[in-house]
């Protein structure tokens, strides 16, 4: 199982290095997504499937979608089309694809070997996390909801300023 | 199944955090700085989950969920600020607006 951890960790570090060094924001986003998926794989190997699922859904899903939206909004203009053609060259997407393929192979190997039950020494499933979340950590959940509310209000306020064209 | 040693997991977290810090310090594009901040927050989450797995407790994953909440709210506000700055200065260079006056 150490080999699985080492592969996923190596992919995470490699993808992060590539992300930092890309000149183009979209290419960096591709590598960042691969890095987040690799970290989700690390969580899975560590026996935290719930954290792995949240990493894929929220980090690689929701937050990356926000980044992509903003990159696309910043590039509305005449030369945007030529720029997008430039982004779609094979050299741009082949690196992240290979890394993601390696991660997929690793996940397939784990599934073939017996899946979740044998993926780690001790698995802490969603049930244990949920019980702790609604029991001793109730106050932390409330604080998190306040934080999200504050973020919604702030994003709405700033978004109105953007719309007004200030 | 052997458990993952603690030092390997924490080593991964430290490496990711250092890479994110390097990204924040080296890149001057605000979008890249925000992405590197994400990497740093993610590294903190990795450290929490690794520690939770080491002691077979659910607390690590709960702290990871809280870090996730924080990252989501930080990104939504940060991206709105980036859009606003792009409208005002039509650049994303962090050095272009370091005076921070009205």
């Amino acid at each position: 199982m150490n080999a699985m951890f080492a592969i996923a960790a190596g992919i995470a570090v490699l993808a992060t290095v590539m992300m930092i060094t890309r000149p183009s924001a979209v290419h960096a986003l591709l590598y960042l997504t691969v890095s987040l998926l690799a970290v989700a794989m690390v969580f899975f190997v560590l026996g935290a499937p719930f954290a792995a699922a949240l990493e894929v859904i929220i980090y690689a899903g929701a937050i990356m979608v926000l980044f992509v939206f903003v990159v696309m909004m910043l590039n509305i203009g005449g030369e945007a089309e030529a720029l997008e053609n430039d982004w779609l060259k094979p050299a741009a997407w082949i690196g992240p694809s290979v890394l993601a393929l390696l991660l997929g192979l690793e996940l397939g190997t784990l599934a073939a070997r017996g899946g979740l039950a044998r993926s780690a020494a001790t698995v802490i499933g969603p049930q244990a996390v949920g019980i702790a979340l609604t029991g001793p950590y109730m106050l932390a959940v409330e604080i998190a909801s306040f934080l999200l509310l504050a973020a919604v209000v702030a994003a709405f306020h700033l978004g109105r300023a953007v719309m007004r064209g200030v | 199944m052997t458990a993952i040693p603690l030092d390997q997991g924490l080593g991964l977290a430290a490496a990711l955090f250092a890479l994110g810090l390097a990204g924040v310090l080296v890149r001057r594009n605000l979008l890249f700085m925000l992405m590197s901040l994400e990497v740093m927050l993610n590294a903190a989450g990795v450290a929490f989950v690794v520690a939770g797995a080491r002691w077979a407790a659910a607390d690590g994953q709960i702290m990871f969920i809280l870090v996730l909440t924080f990252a989501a709210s930080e990104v939504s506000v940060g991206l709105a600020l980036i859009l606003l700055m792009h409208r005002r200065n039509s650049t994303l260079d962090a050095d272009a607006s370091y005076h921070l006056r009205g």
Side-chain angles (χ1 to χ4, degrees), chain A residues 1-2 5 9 12-13 16-17 19-25 28-29 32 35-36 39 42-43 45-51 54-55 58-59 63 66-67 70-71 73-74 118 120-122 124 128-129 132-133 137 140-141 144 147-148 151 154-155 158-159 161-163 165-166, chain B residues 1-5 8-9 12 15-16 18-20 22-23 26-27 29 31-32 34-36 38-39 41-42 45-47 49-50 52-53 55-59 61-77 79-84 86-88 92:
Chain A
M1 209 41 62
N2 266 326
F5 174 82
V13 170
T16 309
V17 170
M19 180 217 104
I20 294 173
T21 52
R22 287 309 91 181
S24 152
L29 276 175
L32 181 56
S35 162
L36 295 173
V39 169
V42 167
F43 287 167
V45 174
L46 279 170
F50 190 52
L54 282 181
E55 175 92 16
I58 299 182
Y59 259 121
I63 292 179
L66 274 183
F67 270 109
V70 168
V71 169
M73 279 178 82
L74 294 181
R118 297 186 51 201
T122 50
I124 304 161
V129 177
L133 206 55
Y137 283 100
V141 175
L147 181 66
L148 284 176
L158 293 171
V162 172
M163 284 305 153
V166 177
Chain B
M1 289 298 140
T2 56
I4 309 295
Q8 286 186 15
L12 171 66
L16 285 179
L19 284 172
V26 169
R27 303 302 298 254
N29 187 323
L31 208 57
F32 279 92
L34 204 57
M35 279 189 237
S36 305
E38 284 306 298
V39 171
L41 280 173
N42 198 30
V46 170
V49 172
V50 165
W55 281 282
D59 306 57
Q61 291 188 52
I62 287 169
M63 285 301 149
F64 171 72
I65 293 174
L66 295 182
V67 170
L68 204 65
T69 319
F70 174 67
S73 42
E74 179 245 334
V75 153
S76 60
V77 175
L79 284 176
L81 280 172
I82 283 180
L83 279 180
L84 201 58
H86 188 72
R87 283 287 162 86
R88 283 194 183 180
L92 284 182

Side-chain angles (χ1 to χ4, degrees), chain A residues 15 18-19 22 27-36 92 95-96 99:
Chain A
M18 295 298 280
M19 180 217 104
R22 287 309 91 181
H27 300 166
L29 276 175
L30 280 177
Y31 276 109
L32 181 56
T33 311
V34 172
S35 162
L36 295 173
L99 290 181

